[in-house]
Amino acid sequence: MGKYFTLILLLLLGSKYSLAQQNYIDHTIKKGESVYMISRRYGVSVNAIFNLNPGSENIIYAGRTLRVPKSDTTTTSSNNTVVNDITVSNYIVKRGETKSGLSRRFGVSIAMLEQQNPHIVSMLQAGHTINLDKTIQETQPKAKAGEHYVVKGETLWGISRIYGISLTQLESANADRLSEFLQIGQTLIIPDKNSAISTEGDYLVQRGDTKFQLAKRFNMTIAELEEKNPHIVTMLMAGHRLNIDNTVTSHPEEITDIKEDSITEIDSTSTSNTYKNYVIEPKETLFGLAKKAGMTIEELTTLNPKLLTSVNAGDIIKMPVGVSGTSTNKTPSTNTVDTTDTVKTDDIADSNNEDVTTRISSNKNEALFANLVTETSSGLYFYSPFSSQELSSPEERQKMIGVNADFQKYIDFFQGAQIAIDSAKTLNLNFDVTLIKKNIAKSKITIESPHSKNAILVPFSETSSNFPSIDSSAPISIIDIESNIITNDSINIYRSITSEAIQKTKTLNYLAKQNANIVVISDLDEARSKDLILTTNPEAKFLKVDNAGFFKSDALDNALNKNKLNYIVFDSEKTIVLLNTTTALMGKLSDHNIQLVMLESSLLPKQTEVSDMRFRILQLIYPAVTDPQNKNDITDFENKYEDIFSSKPSRHAILGFDVTFDTLLRISQSSSFEESINTTLSEQPHLKFEYQKTKDRNYLNTGIYLMQYNSNDGMIELNQ
């Protein structure tokens, strides 16, 4: 009897265990997804997913399966919200959510989202109710006469060029349906070429406008401007239509903002009558003010000690009588170490129009642009061998390069960074820029920042083990740009440039999922990446060629498999080896399915050395840190850089722009810097930023483009 009882008990426990084991959903990870995004979709905690999937707290890969625990019910709320694979019922839009974010969350296109919820076509607002039936077929709307249907890849600037109208005219005609970024599937009104952008007593806000500038332009205070236009109290946005009729003033007793043409000399108690009161305008800098005054920075700050702390729009300072000229970018600084107002060379021009790089980035970084905060300021710091005076003086820069030619890469970096700073200011982002000179901050950097979010960029540091400790009064993040910083401080380090190890690992992981025969060809006795290759592909075969790239008799035939796809991983830096190896491989294509693979983009030879026809025939797969398909955006950036600096941007200038602009977007979010890293991928004109946490306080950028040459002229990006 006891045996039967034991058997029954075991069966019951086994059944219960089996049911418990199946109490999860198998989710196939899509490109760009994170554990946080997946947890939000299924209504479970991140830790619950971590517990079911050991290792997922470090990294997850697109294409693999993730076990997601089933929640007790479908996603519900007090509003009877239901979200499942087929329907979405009574979902209430929350503040900060976007159409793009909702389309990804619910697994539908923006066009389908708008098709079934026409009340959100013109604008998505917090409190809107969303209902979806995913079984309903999506209909593709057709644009009527005088309208344009937005498709993937289009920009406002490009659409305006198609119809021969200005960008301002297009934005004005669609002010009620445009947010900060263009939506795929939107229908835009195409105005007549001769249409006006504003009417009497009416003004359409342009990108880059500020409340301070508009109040000054229309002869009213900011309070009066907001009283007439309550929709801008929280935030001023491009496309807002303003009532600027100032014939009736609600508070005549208020004093309007002081204008430059009404500035008078300082009072009689002054020690000199050669100075006058001067009101600092938005975007002016300490460097620019000193240049305008015809003084050195030291002379100007001696005259106006408060400028040592910060440069604030609206503050009144002493300036020589007769000072005139246009304003420059405002970037005040506060720090206990050597600082500068802007990392700006003497030949950088101000950007008054919509910045091309801002337009490029807004098309690719919807999530970041949707949650920008302009009301509060943040702090951006650069760790550099240059002081502000040395960086702003052509003579000083040349003198330092004469001592060490390697300093040129820092100058290039800061020139790229300056374009990023100018681009960020066209978005009305509020930030202060500070420069910390290396030889002043030898062992410790003390930062007294007034900002709640700060980041310090450290480019190309060669003494990583001696990086100073940081004592900061406010939260700060370290952005490592090829510096490999080591610090014991409790500060997060974000290594922003994807390493060759990550390029190799991601490429090998892709190969491992294809069930192919893998053959590694090297001119060394041991392939350089043999251990890594065997970790991900333990059945890989290794062939050695001689110094000219020739195989031993029958070695290649014996390694190839006629019944499977053959990935030939090329692991040599010698051009002659590549030429002879690819010639041999092309001779085997009639009997074998062969694709060439390189694990590092650095192994790709110049086109003058090897024709890419070989790569198209062998359908080469390789990892790229820079998107080779994004030629238009890259060309736009290069043209802008060349217009300003009269030279093509170097690789270091490219890093200066992409990393700086991405950092500025992230420290200007409504969420913390670390949260934006954990939840949001981004792409700038050249680089992809896909950070993964590796261990405490360290994040690696794992963003690469896995590219494959087509047999015809072109490339495709592979799903990793």
Side-chain angles (χ1 to χ4, degrees), residues 102-246:
L102 292 177
S103 73
R104 288 195 298 268
R105 177 173 185 175
F106 300 141
V108 298
S109 66
I110 293 177
M112 187 172 178
L113 190 68
E114 292 181 334
Q115 176 184 318
Q116 296 189 38
N117 298 273
H119 55 289
I120 70 168
V121 171
S122 59
M123 182 179 292
L124 181 72
Q125 295 182 345
H128 274 158
T129 300
I130 301 296
N131 291 285
L132 278 172
D133 182 350
K134 299 179 188 178
T135 63
I136 297 176
Q137 187 174 3
E138 179 182 338
T139 59
Q140 294 294 335
K142 294 183 179 179
K144 302 174 184 177
E147 293 182 345
H148 178 87
Y149 181 72
V150 179
V151 298
K152 184 177 180 179
E154 288 189 312
T155 64
L156 284 173
W157 182 81
I159 295 169
S160 68
R161 291 290 297 272
I162 290 172
Y163 294 98
I165 58 177
S166 70
L167 180 61
T168 303
Q169 286 175 305
L170 184 62
E171 289 179 330
S172 176
N174 296 276
D176 60 342
R177 59 182 71 192
L178 286 176
S179 58
E180 282 296 298
F181 45 84
L182 193 60
Q183 303 277 359
I184 297 171
Q186 276 185 289
T187 301
L188 301 181
I189 297 172
I190 305 301
D192 182 77
K193 293 182 180 180
N194 299 318
S195 61
I197 65 169
S198 61
T199 58
E200 188 175 354
D202 202 27
Y203 176 77
L204 186 72
V205 177
Q206 306 300 304
R207 189 181 295 274
D209 282 344
T210 65
K211 294 179 186 179
F212 179 90
Q213 292 170 328
L214 294 175
K216 182 175 180 180
R217 181 187 301 179
F218 300 118
N219 195 28
M220 60 179 72
T221 64
I222 293 177
E224 288 174 332
L225 186 67
E226 290 181 335
E227 183 177 344
K228 293 176 182 292
N229 302 277
H231 56 291
I232 70 167
V233 171
T234 305
M235 183 182 295
L236 182 72
M237 294 175 59
H240 275 157
R241 192 168 292 278
L242 303 184
N243 172 14
I244 45 93
D245 183 2
N246 61 357

Side-chain angles (χ1 to χ4, degrees), residues 330-347:
K330 172 207 167 198
T331 48
S333 60
T334 48
N335 203 299
T336 59
V337 295
D338 183 36
T339 64
T340 183
D341 43 316
T342 327
V343 184
K344 182 171 184 176
T345 57
D346 63 322
D347 54 354

Side-chain angles (χ1 to χ4, degrees), residues 27-97:
H27 173 84
T28 301
I29 302 167
K30 298 180 179 64
K31 182 180 177 182
E33 284 188 320
S34 65
V35 175
Y36 173 79
M37 294 164 64
I38 295 169
S39 69
R40 289 286 299 272
R41 175 177 176 180
Y42 290 98
V44 299
S45 69
V46 172
N47 286 333
I49 296 178
F50 288 159
N51 291 336
L52 267 183
N53 303 270
S56 61
E57 63 272 18
N58 295 323
I59 191 168
I60 60 175
Y61 297 99
R64 293 190 180 178
T65 300
L66 198 69
R67 291 181 174 179
V68 181
K70 294 179 180 177
S71 55
D72 295 335
T73 62
T74 52
T75 305
T76 62
S77 70
S78 57
N79 295 313
N80 298 318
T81 300
V82 176
V83 179
N84 55 45
D85 290 338
I86 299 174
T87 61
V88 175
S89 301
N90 301 320
Y91 180 83
I92 306 300
V93 177
K94 302 174 183 64
R95 184 178 181 183
E97 289 186 311

Side-chain angles (χ1 to χ4, degrees), residues 275 289-297 299-300 303 318-320:
Y275 300 107
L289 289 170
K291 190 173 182 180
K292 179 182 288 189
M295 299 177 166
T296 65
I297 290 177
E299 289 170 341
L300 183 64
L303 186 63
K318 297 176 184 177
M319 290 281 273

Side-chain angles (χ1 to χ4, degrees), residues 311-332:
V311 180
N312 299 317
D315 280 359
I316 299 175
I317 61 172
K318 297 176 184 177
M319 290 281 273
V321 173
V323 165
S324 61
T326 56
S327 63
T328 59
N329 287 333
K330 172 207 167 198
T331 48

Side-chain angles (χ1 to χ4, degrees), residues 241-339:
R241 192 168 292 278
L242 303 184
N243 172 14
I244 45 93
D245 183 2
N246 61 357
T247 55
V248 179
T249 305
S250 301
H251 305 284
E253 70 278 9
E254 290 185 4
I255 301 174
T256 59
D257 294 321
I258 300 175
K259 299 171 185 57
E260 189 171 349
D261 57 6
S262 65
I263 295 174
T264 57
E265 293 184 8
I266 59 175
D267 59 51
S268 57
T269 60
S270 172
T271 58
S272 171
N273 62 357
T274 59
Y275 300 107
K276 65 179 180 180
N277 288 345
Y278 179 86
V279 180
I280 299 175
E281 296 187 358
K283 299 186 178 181
E284 288 198 295
T285 65
L286 185 58
F287 174 83
L289 289 170
K291 190 173 182 180
K292 179 182 288 189
M295 299 177 166
T296 65
I297 290 177
E298 184 179 359
E299 289 170 341
L300 183 64
T301 52
T302 300
L303 186 63
N304 301 278
K306 64 181 178 181
L307 292 178
L308 289 169
T309 304
S310 62
V311 180
N312 299 317
D315 280 359
I316 299 175
I317 61 172
K318 297 176 184 177
M319 290 281 273
V321 173
V323 165
S324 61
T326 56
S327 63
T328 59
N329 287 333
K330 172 207 167 198
T331 48
S333 60
T334 48
N335 203 299
T336 59
V337 295
D338 183 36
T339 64

